[in-house]
Amino acid sequence: ETGVTQTPRHLVMGMTNKKSLKCEQHLGHNAMYWYKQSAKKPLELMFVYNFKEQTENNSVPSRFSPECPNSSHLFLHLHTLQPEDSALYLCASSQDLSGAPNQPQHFGDGTRLSIL
Amino acid sequence: SQQGEEDPQALSIQEGENATMNCSYKTSINNLQWYRQNSGRGLVHLILIRSNEREKHSGRLRVTLDTSKKSSSLLITASRAADTASYFCATVPANQAGTALIFGKGTTLSVSS
């Protein structure tokens, strides 16, 4: 396994629901990332955290709210989503951002989100 | 904006054959990485090549980088059915604020036995 665990693996929700995606890494990394993967589109970076501090928000709508309580856990809180938000949401981690350009990222298997 | 673009979009070969995938990018880079994604799974890092390197090997994988042409290729030799997956290149642009890996849309490789 990759050492990055995402739950749930699948989630179906209505547009008015509130739900959360969870990511946990067991690699001792300090940087964590949320990506969105839609069909026929490149992977899109959403948020980056380094040592629990958010360092990047890639113009993500406020209906997505990230939380990083510690270096091992990352959440993505969802509310009032739109049908176009249906996608695979991937979490990744790397050692930290000091050597970020030359570090590989380790990905979880994602949460397949469907908005009704 | 999209930095890397893989070619071809899809590739079908027989087991034992070699598979070559190409990646082109637009701006100067710090390094280029290749990832594999099996259906329904996350991405797995395969290999990283720095901008001052020209070729790198890892098992059956061979990656080349031509910074003058802003392109890279991934060669998988003696392919196996288990190599069936999508392959993505990701670049780290030089002199860019932030840490974003910029991914292409990927090449879907099908290896039939």
Side-chain angles (χ1 to χ4, degrees):
Chain A
E1 298 303 322
T2 66
V4 181
T5 303
Q6 290 188 242
T7 55
R9 290 295 311 276
H10 302 272
L11 179 61
V12 179
M13 56 187 286
M15 289 192 285
T16 57
N17 291 160
K18 289 185 181 181
K19 295 286 184 183
S20 296
L21 310 185
K22 179 182 176 182
C23 176
E24 182 174 2
Q25 56 93 4
H26 305 276
L27 301 169
H29 289 167
N30 295 301
M32 296 187 78
Y33 311 76
W34 278 118
Y35 287 90
K36 176 183 179 183
Q37 187 176 33
S38 304
K40 299 183 180 179
K41 282 187 172 183
L43 210 63
E44 300 171 57
L45 178 69
M46 299 175 72
F47 302 103
V48 182
Y49 279 81
N50 191 45
F51 291 96
K52 303 188 300 178
E53 298 297 320
Q54 187 179 125
T55 59
E56 286 186 49
N57 175 338
N58 201 23
S59 302
V60 180
S62 59
R63 57 185 183 269
F64 295 91
S65 175
E67 178 190 2
C68 188
N70 55 61
S71 292
S72 299
H73 294 85
L74 186 64
F75 295 89
L76 188 62
H77 304 299
L78 317 171
H79 67 97
T80 323
L81 295 193
Q82 304 298 310
E84 62 265 27
D85 298 323
S86 296
L88 181 67
Y89 288 85
L90 292 163
C91 172
S93 70
S94 65
Q95 188 60 48
D96 56 52
L97 296 189
S98 63
N102 293 320
Q103 294 174 5
Q105 292 184 14
H106 299 255
F107 285 78
D109 286 336
T111 294
R112 174 69 63 185
L113 177 64
S114 298
I115 307 299
L116 301 179
Chain B
S1 62
Q2 185 180 343
Q3 162 81 318
E5 190 164 330
E6 294 88 347
D7 170 62
Q9 290 187 9
L11 181 60
S12 294
I13 59 174
Q14 297 283 102
E15 260 192 329
E17 294 180 339
N18 295 341
T20 300
M21 288 158 269
N22 302 297
C23 171
S24 59
Y25 56 91
K26 298 175 184 175
T27 64
S28 297
I29 60 171
N30 186 300
N31 67 60
L32 186 145
Q33 303 178 31
W34 284 92
Y35 287 80
R36 182 189 75 230
Q37 184 178 32
N38 290 86
S39 180
R41 305 296 299 273
L43 279 72
V44 174
H45 180 262
L46 295 176
I47 201 164
L48 181 154
I49 187 165
R50 297 173 192 242
S51 59
N52 61 354
E53 297 176 310
R54 292 296 167 258
E55 188 170 312
K56 208 162 182 181
H57 296 256
S58 177
R60 292 183 296 112
L61 306 181
R62 173 181 170 242
V63 169
T64 61
L65 179 65
D66 186 336
T67 53
S68 66
K69 295 181 179 178
K70 293 187 171 56
S71 68
S72 173
S73 67
L74 170 66
L75 169 67
I76 304 174
T77 60
S79 63
R80 306 165 181 168
D83 294 327
T84 295
S86 292
Y87 292 81
F88 298 88
C89 68
T91 55
V92 181
N95 305 317
Q96 175 183 278
T99 58
L101 267 179
I102 303 178
F103 287 84
K105 293 183 181 179
T107 291
T108 300
L109 174 65
S110 298
V111 182
S112 53
S113 52

